[in-house]
Amino acid sequence: MNILVINAGSSSLKYQLLNPETGDLLAKGLCERIGIDGKFTYKPQLAGKETLDAIDVAMPTHSEAIQAVLDALVDAKNGVIGSMKEIDAVGHRVVHGGEKFASSVLITDEVMAAIEECNPLAPLHNPANIIGIKACQALMPGTPMVAVFDTAFHQTMPPKAYMYALPYAYYENDKVRRYGFHGTSHKYVSGRAAAMLGKKPEELKLVSCHLGNGSSIAAVDGGKSVDTSMGFTPLAGLPMGTRAGDLDAGILQYLMNKYGMNIDEMLNILNKKSGVEGLSCVSSDFRDLENAANSGDEKAKLAEEKFAYEVKKYVGAYAAAMGGVDAIIFTAGVGENDKGIRAMVCEGLEYMGVKLDAEANKGRGKELVISAADSKVKVLLIPTNEELMIAQDTAAIVKG
Ligand code: AMP
């Protein structure tokens, strides 16, 4: 079985063709500058097939982008499948499913309408996801399509976790609540953690730390998300590459009044000029921060410390929320690669049974237990694979 996974943005589209049963990747790539000039990248994973790297392909709309993907996949010389019939289904990443979708779903006209109703909750992302779905439907009539939502995994949170202490009417009338994001990643690594520990998901209390350019933490109790750090939008929770994370809302009024900023200008600062980049005045990239900190840059060191400190606080908070923790998972760009941040997070957590193995913590990019043999709480390094999770969900749904 082959599943085409599509992650459509407003001017770009990532894709992978993979086998959900074996996890084998057949090809992956990227369409960029859709609606501008169009750049197409195709990376077949089979021996003897040639990569196309950012070549010019006219892409006035997402339709031409998806057509380029399909043409490349079935190309006589460099393709990885014989015909489009070998694509059994398409799994689409959709950012926001609101309260309507607690799991992945086969796309029907009713589902499309319900996804469109979620557009106001993710105005930058959902409309682009919908354009990608419609373009695929037009080019691949008869191929089942599945929507996999970033928010769905967190729909199991109890009201005390997802409600804000705002007037209740804002929830009832306006759907203002915590939704959480990165759900596909948290679900995938939680499942892998159970497999690594030889336990059923229902038996485990996990703190899943997805630390990348965007970062979020989830408390996963018995296989279900019971709390998460991102909120109504992905701006909440941890400080990130350029996002501020949680802060006192009173700061907005103070700075907006003082500098005559409107709310869009303020939010631009909170989304794009804050986080570790804003704090360090160096970079949003943790490799740059580490280099700068090693060269004595105090602000870069502070940014690393602030980030790790906030992660540590969430670990403690979620252990309290769940009444314990069996394993802490590190995933995504920083979580998978940055041994320094992992060590800073775990340092001082010995009292709750967390003991990192310094040698094992040097590992990166593969599934590893990085806690000491006698650590009560296991610490796991698990590379995330959102595309495989999307492909597996898609396969499960089309198989019924
Ligand atoms: P992601 O959003 O998951 O793709 O993560 C991207 C981020 O991971 C980058 O901005 C870097 O901050 C971080 N990253 C990637 N590779 C490394 C590495 N080798 N060491 C430290 N941080 C890394």
Side-chain angles (χ1 to χ4, degrees):
M1 187 174 212
N2 297 319
I3 306 289
L4 178 61
V5 174
I6 298 281
N7 181 355
S10 54
S11 68
S12 69
L13 182 149
K14 290 187 206 145
Y15 65 93
Q16 288 195 3
L17 183 70
L18 31 77
N19 180 326
E21 285 122 6
T22 61
D24 288 344
L25 181 63
L26 283 85
K28 64 177 178 177
L30 178 65
C31 304
E32 293 168 286
R33 298 177 63 86
I34 301 170
I36 309 168
D37 45 7
K39 297 275 176 211
F40 181 62
T41 295
Y42 170 68
K43 295 182 177 170
Q45 305 292 304
L46 304 185
K49 306 284 179 180
E50 281 167 33
T51 291
L52 304 175
D53 199 3
I55 62 163
D56 291 323
V57 174
M59 297 176 192
T61 71
H62 286 66
S63 278
E64 292 80 12
I66 291 169
Q67 188 64 59
V69 173
L70 298 174
D71 289 346
L73 293 173
V74 302
D75 182 64
K77 184 160 167 264
N78 289 314
V80 292
I81 49 175
S83 79
M84 295 238 309
K85 286 197 194 111
E86 290 175 47
I87 302 175
D88 296 283
V90 184
H92 292 271
R93 177 188 183 221
V94 179
V95 166
H96 220 304
E99 290 188 325
K100 291 178 199 299
F101 298 106
S103 58
S104 304
V105 62
L106 188 70
I107 299 175
T108 61
D109 290 348
E110 293 74 42
V111 166
M112 283 297 273
I115 297 174
E116 278 178 40
E117 278 177 38
C118 298
N119 282 2
L121 297 173
L124 298 180
H125 295 103
N126 267 33
N129 302 152
I130 289 168
I131 289 170
I133 295 171
K134 286 185 174 163
C136 254
Q137 285 175 325
L139 293 170
M140 308 172 77
T143 306
M145 312 257 159
V146 168
V148 179
F149 302 91
D150 262 20
T151 49
F153 183 58
H154 300 300
Q155 278 295 304
T156 45
M157 285 188 288
K160 65 184 176 192
Y162 71 67
M163 287 300 291
Y164 290 113
L166 288 169
Y168 198 83
Y170 290 128
Y171 170 63
E172 264 182 328
N173 302 335
D174 308 302
K175 306 201 180 332
V176 173
R177 51 160 284 176
R178 180 189 306 281
Y179 289 99
F181 299 87
H182 292 143
T184 309
S185 175
H186 290 301
K187 182 178 171 189
Y188 175 77
V189 297
S190 305
R192 289 305 310 152
M196 284 172 77
L197 298 172
K199 295 257 171 85
K200 294 195 185 112
E202 302 81 63
E203 297 170 333
L204 290 169
K205 295 179 190 297
L206 304 169
V207 176
S208 169
C209 306
H210 178 112
L211 311 179
N213 196 29
S215 295
S216 73
I217 306 202
V220 182
D221 194 350
K224 295 193 164 96
S225 173
V226 293
D227 207 346
T228 192
S229 60
M230 282 181 170
F232 179 67
T233 74
L235 178 54
L238 295 168
M240 310 181 204
T242 62
R243 279 174 254 171
D246 286 345
L247 78 171
D248 179 348
I251 295 170
L252 275 65
Q253 185 196 34
Y254 174 76
L255 289 179
M256 287 165 70
N257 284 344
K258 184 158 186 191
Y259 294 108
M261 284 188 280
N262 63 33
I263 190 67
D264 290 337
E265 290 166 327
M266 187 73 243
L267 277 176
N268 190 47
I269 291 174
L270 297 182
N271 272 307
K272 305 222 169 108
K273 302 200 185 302
S274 300
V276 294
E277 178 172 295
L279 195 53
S280 68
C281 309
V282 171
S283 169
S284 63
D285 193 303
F286 280 72
R287 289 162 287 200
D288 299 337
L289 292 183
E290 193 183 352
N291 288 336
N294 288 342
S295 317
D297 188 312
E298 288 298 324
K299 290 198 197 98
K301 190 159 165 268
L302 171 66
E304 286 187 314
E305 283 174 357
K306 172 72 180 164
F307 179 77
Y309 176 66
E310 294 298 330
V311 175
K312 188 199 298 267
K313 286 205 304 190
Y314 270 105
V315 171
Y318 288 167
M322 292 189 289
V325 53
D326 297 301
I328 300 167
I329 304 165
F330 286 101
T331 191
V334 179
E336 290 166 28
N337 294 297
D338 197 326
K339 62 179 187 297
I341 292 290
R342 292 193 299 254
M344 285 160 86
V345 171
C346 294
E347 191 189 339
L349 294 183
E350 293 81 6
Y351 77 93
M352 58 183 269
V354 179
K355 198 164 149 195
L356 206 61
D357 178 326
E359 196 53 37
N361 187 40
K362 289 181 184 159
R364 49 181 287 217
K366 60 177 181 206
E367 289 185 358
L368 283 172
V369 178
I370 56 171
S371 46
D374 60 345
S375 182
K376 189 166 84 55
V377 177
K378 302 294 169 214
V379 185
L380 307 175
L381 191 167
I382 305 180
T384 194
N385 194 340
E386 290 163 276
E387 291 79 11
L388 179 57
M389 189 78 258
I390 293 172
Q392 287 174 343
D393 266 13
T394 301
I397 284 173
V398 297
K399 281 182 195 161

